[in-house]
Amino acid sequence: MTQEEFAVTCKELIKSYGHGETKITALRGVNLEVRSGEMMMLAGPSGCGKTTLISVIASILNQDNGECKVYGHDLNHMSKTERIAFRSKNIGFVFQAFNLFPSLTAAENVAIPLVIGGMDIKEATQKGCELLNEMGLGDRVSDVPADLSGGQQQRVAIARAMIHGPRLIVCDEPTSALDGHTGQKIMELIKKVALDETRAIIVVTHDSRIFSFADRIAKMEDGQILKVVNSYEEFED
Amino acid sequence: MFYIAFRMLVGDRGKFLGIILGLSFASLIMTQQPGVFVGIMTRAYSFITDLGLPDIWVMEPTVQYIDDIKPMPDTYLYRVASVEGVAWAKPLYKGTIQARLHNGTFQTCNLIGLDDATLIGAPAVMIEGKIENLRRTDGIIVNQEGALDKLANPPKYPRGPKIPLKVGQEIELNNHRAVVVGIAQTTRTFQSQPVVYTTYSNATLFTPPQLNLLSFVLVKAKPGQNLKALCDRIFRRTGLRAYTKEDFKSLTVNYYLKYTGIPINFGVSVLLGFLVGAAIAGQTFYNFTLENLRYFGVLKAMGTSEKTLLLMIIFQALIISFIGYGIGVGCTGIFDLLTQNTMLAFRFPWQLFIFSIFGIFIISSFAALISIRKVITLEPAIVFKS
């Protein structure tokens, strides 16, 4: 597999916060490869560096050392403007706390990445309506987030993450704010709707109930990846 | 993105109204208080405004403002009249006098003595009676406010309404009988004292004996005369100070600005309004930005450029400025309407619009600036914090 076919390649990634005695090293030489078309889960205890890793991969945080490429593009060597443009086209986000704009309707929330890309708000909202319709939320397109259940809000967030056709979607604890049943449904939706051969999904989680949805699971601890496994059983071993 | 910025702004109506309220308040204070100040200053020279006919006012050189009367010998009138370019020159007496009312109390009045022949300087609008009646023996014209209030007859019963002074009634001016021959409408003066008009010769009778009586010489320039040049010529030929109407108004206003605490008091009010408005609007707008920081972070993470975020905040600041300014100035406009023809002094010239726009612009720029700084330095990784 060539480097172009890897969605993400991380080599010896190092990232620290703070200085002097308060310095904390969140990533200690992380090596990771995520293939296009796969769902990779990052699992591990709180504070092990999962969120820092996806922040670096999503280019919203700069590493101190090491290399991180997304579809062959070394984001650290891009200018700020190029990085922002790359992110707006190629990366989608799903957040633990949904982060939907409370004053916008569901369809308008979904439309945001298209608007950022320069599309007219009306046209973008129309596309948002269509996508929500496909995801079974056709009757809630005009509702604001406060009128939606947690599961519905996360479905809107997933729609928002994929409407502009990004090649990488990063999900930070997408099920932790949901009950077990809804969490399963959300993961089914992500796997079914968001994942395809041209796109990779990285999910940060410590919810072992959703490990079965992963193609591979990377176990992290203390800023390092201990192992990358194919199933929950191997993960537990 | 402007649509998103707008929806973010109005999404929390409580906060939005808080910001608008702060700016409206600042805008109101920055227009209403100067409006009152301008109104008071306008009243300070209202007497000059009311005397529409003369082009130039001539006076003793040390006069500092309209009520600073330094009497001159009557002969000065002829010296002024003989200056080249003067079409006519008329005498004017302006002073104060004690009026004894029917209930035995005294009221200080402004006494205006007009040229007997032409009555130049007489009020333009008569409510009752005719100006020519001033030529009757002991005839006086009283301004409407004075007739209705300070010179009015006592009520028929305790705490009842005062009975307005009417044409034909007599009052005592410095122990002299004076007969009301007319009621006139005049602009309120700074002191709000009743104004009594009479002829120049009557004024000499009403006032206590004094060597000089001539307060001002009112001058009409010949057609085509340069008024400033004529003023200079009058000064050179007579040694008397001559001002155009506008210059005399400025002299009066400048006196009040320089020698009274009025501008400082109003300045403090305006400054406080500005500071409180800036604090409220700045704080609320900044709080609004802080509360929306997560969403600005989401936009930043999703690939919104800093320039776009900056424009979004400026757009939000412009919206609140526009609405806040509109409400504030609207309230001042309503205040203007409500106070017309009342005792309250208020003027709302166009310069105040510009002044307050400038003030609101500074406040909203300040509010936007502190918010922009916060958003631009925001680390987009904040979005992954739960």
Side-chain angles (χ1 to χ4, degrees):
Chain A
M1 191 172 268
T2 64
Q3 205 169 55
E4 285 293 323
E5 288 166 295
F6 280 115
V8 177
T9 51
C10 298
K11 285 180 187 168
E12 295 300 323
L13 271 187
I14 294 173
K15 175 67 187 174
S16 303
Y17 299 105
H19 301 280
E21 288 181 6
T22 58
K23 185 174 177 180
I24 296 168
T25 305
L27 300 179
R28 301 166 184 271
V30 169
N31 292 298
L32 180 71
E33 287 174 343
V34 181
R35 298 179 198 116
S36 192
E38 84 167 338
M39 180 185 281
M40 165 72 80
M41 285 194 187
L42 298 177
S46 294
C48 70
K50 305 185 295 285
T51 301
T52 300
L53 180 57
I54 57 162
S55 296
V56 171
I57 291 171
S59 79
I60 56 177
L61 200 62
N62 291 333
Q63 69 267 34
D64 300 334
N65 253 311
E67 184 184 86
C68 179
K69 288 185 177 175
V70 177
Y71 286 98
H73 297 273
D74 188 348
L75 304 179
N76 220 26
H77 285 99
M78 285 183 181
S79 69
K80 200 173 180 179
T81 314
E82 286 171 336
R83 207 160 54 226
I84 288 171
F86 182 84
R87 208 159 61 213
S88 70
K89 279 183 192 158
N90 296 295
I91 299 174
F93 294 87
V94 177
F95 308 104
Q96 178 183 352
F98 318 136
N99 284 342
L100 298 175
F101 286 62
S103 54
L104 299 181
T105 64
E108 287 167 348
N109 264 291
V110 174
I112 288 173
L114 296 177
V115 177
I116 291 172
M119 192 181 282
D120 172 67
I121 182 77
K122 276 187 184 172
E123 193 184 344
T125 306
Q126 183 56 39
K127 286 192 183 294
C129 286
E130 287 165 13
L131 184 56
L132 285 174
N133 208 25
E134 284 173 27
M135 294 174 74
L137 282 173
D139 55 337
R140 311 309 298 266
V141 291
S142 300
D143 289 346
V144 292
D147 295 335
L148 302 174
S149 68
Q152 288 170 330
Q153 287 189 51
Q154 197 59 300
R155 279 152 74 186
V156 172
I158 293 165
R160 183 176 67 181
M162 55 182 282
I163 191 165
H164 55 307
R167 297 175 73 191
L168 173 68
I169 295 178
V170 290
C171 309
D172 183 39
E173 306 273 10
T175 60
S176 67
L178 307 171
D179 62 75
H181 176 69
T182 311
Q184 292 287 319
K185 292 278 181 196
I186 287 297
M187 288 312 298
E188 278 172 21
L189 186 73
I190 291 175
K191 188 120 191 179
K192 183 182 157 195
V193 180
L195 192 61
D196 63 39
E197 286 179 358
T198 61
R199 181 182 292 152
I201 298 176
I202 302 175
V203 179
V204 164
T205 186
H206 56 254
D207 182 359
S208 58
R209 294 171 300 183
I210 64 166
F211 282 177
S212 58
F213 292 95
D215 295 310
R216 289 191 301 152
I217 307 166
K219 186 173 186 178
M220 284 192 77
E221 204 169 295
D222 199 21
Q224 289 179 315
I225 291 182
L226 297 184
K227 59 181 177 180
V228 178
V229 297
N230 294 317
S231 67
Y232 178 51
E233 290 73 26
E234 289 176 58
F235 182 82
E236 285 296 292
D237 291 340
Chain B
M1 294 308 286
F2 290 135
Y3 174 77
I4 293 171
F6 176 75
R7 293 294 298 271
M8 282 171 79
L9 182 67
V10 299
D12 186 336
R13 286 183 187 166
K15 288 274 179 325
F16 179 63
L17 287 177
I19 303 169
I20 294 296
L21 203 68
L23 281 169
S24 303
F25 173 75
S27 170
L28 173 66
I29 297 290
M30 280 191 291
T31 47
Q32 193 267 351
Q33 285 293 300
V36 174
F37 175 68
V38 173
I40 288 174
M41 287 298 103
T42 307
R43 284 189 180 179
Y45 58 70
S46 64
F47 185 69
I48 308 170
T49 311
D50 282 357
L51 262 75
L53 206 51
D55 297 320
I56 291 169
W57 290 62
V58 183
M59 62 208 76
E60 206 273 338
T62 57
V63 167
Q64 298 181 83
Y65 62 106
I66 181 68
D67 293 317
D68 181 26
I69 307 298
K70 308 270 172 62
M72 304 175 285
D74 284 356
T75 51
Y76 281 23
L77 173 67
Y78 307 108
R79 291 171 64 187
V80 174
S82 66
V83 174
E84 185 192 336
V86 172
W88 49 254
K90 302 297 172 194
L92 184 81
Y93 170 81
K94 187 174 188 297
T96 56
I97 196 165
Q98 290 288 324
R100 187 165 186 270
L101 307 182
H102 286 95
N103 60 2
T105 58
F106 289 89
Q107 169 65 50
T108 303
C109 304
N110 284 328
L111 181 67
I112 310 298
L114 310 172
D115 175 48
D116 290 48
T118 60
L119 298 179
I120 281 171
V125 182
M126 292 297 292
I127 306 290
E128 212 179 330
K130 288 180 180 174
I131 292 168
E132 303 85 77
N133 294 346
L134 272 183
R135 296 197 182 96
R136 289 182 186 171
T137 310
D138 302 330
I140 57 167
I141 291 173
V142 177
N143 74 325
Q144 193 182 22
E145 283 77 26
L148 291 173
D149 186 23
K150 291 180 177 169
L151 293 179
N153 300 297
K156 282 183 178 169
Y157 49 89
R159 296 186 182 177
K162 287 181 179 175
I163 300 162
L165 188 68
K166 289 194 174 143
V167 172
Q169 277 196 288
E170 292 180 7
I171 58 171
E172 264 184 40
L173 292 177
N174 195 27
N175 293 324
H176 288 83
R177 168 183 171 272
V179 181
V180 179
V181 295
I183 307 290
Q185 186 182 320
T186 58
T187 310
R188 284 177 189 273
T189 60
F190 184 67
Q191 293 97 339
S192 294
Q193 289 170 342
V195 184
V196 176
Y197 291 88
T198 189
T199 57
Y200 192 80
S201 53
N202 270 344
T204 59
L205 298 173
F206 291 142
T207 54
Q210 48 191 309
L211 188 62
N212 299 321
L213 202 68
L214 183 64
S215 308
F216 298 101
V217 178
L218 304 178
V219 168
K220 184 73 181 174
K222 283 181 179 169
Q225 285 291 318
N226 180 312
L227 295 181
K228 297 266 187 191
L230 182 56
C231 287
D232 289 343
R233 200 153 53 239
I234 291 170
F235 177 67
R236 283 199 309 273
R237 299 274 171 82
T238 65
L240 300 173
R241 188 62 69 188
Y243 295 105
T244 62
K245 264 188 297 189
E246 293 310 314
D247 286 348
F248 194 28
K249 285 178 188 176
S250 299
L251 184 78
T252 301
V253 169
N254 287 339
Y255 174 82
Y256 281 99
L257 293 178
K258 199 171 173 184
Y259 295 107
T260 71
I262 297 169
I264 295 171
N265 289 334
F266 279 97
V268 168
S269 293
V270 172
L271 186 68
L272 280 178
F274 176 81
L275 291 177
V276 172
I280 296 174
Q283 174 80 26
T284 328
F285 190 66
Y286 183 63
N287 279 349
F288 156 79
T289 307
L290 283 186
E291 283 168 20
N292 283 285
L293 214 52
R294 167 173 290 274
Y295 303 108
F296 282 115
V298 169
L299 291 175
K300 217 169 177 179
M302 284 179 173
T304 307
S305 67
E306 285 180 355
K307 183 185 161 194
T308 305
L309 291 172
L310 189 139
L311 288 174
M312 285 174 76
I313 294 172
I314 290 173
F315 176 70
Q316 289 172 334
L318 280 176
I319 287 181
I320 57 167
S321 305
F322 184 73
I323 298 174
Y325 176 75
I327 292 174
V329 169
C331 288
T332 305
I334 291 170
F335 184 84
D336 187 13
L337 286 175
L338 294 176
T339 55
Q340 274 179 6
N341 300 320
T342 67
M343 224 171 78
L344 288 169
F346 188 79
R347 276 291 180 91
F348 199 15
W350 62 267
Q351 289 91 337
L352 276 185
F353 277 101
I354 306 296
F355 170 74
S356 50
I357 283 175
F358 187 67
I360 293 297
F361 173 75
I362 290 176
I363 291 177
S364 41
S365 299
F366 162 72
L369 206 67
I370 52 174
S371 298
I372 284 169
R373 189 179 164 275
K374 193 77 188 171
V375 170
I376 297 301
T377 56
L378 172 71
E379 190 65 67
I382 186 182
V383 292
F384 286 133
K385 288 177 184 163
S386 55

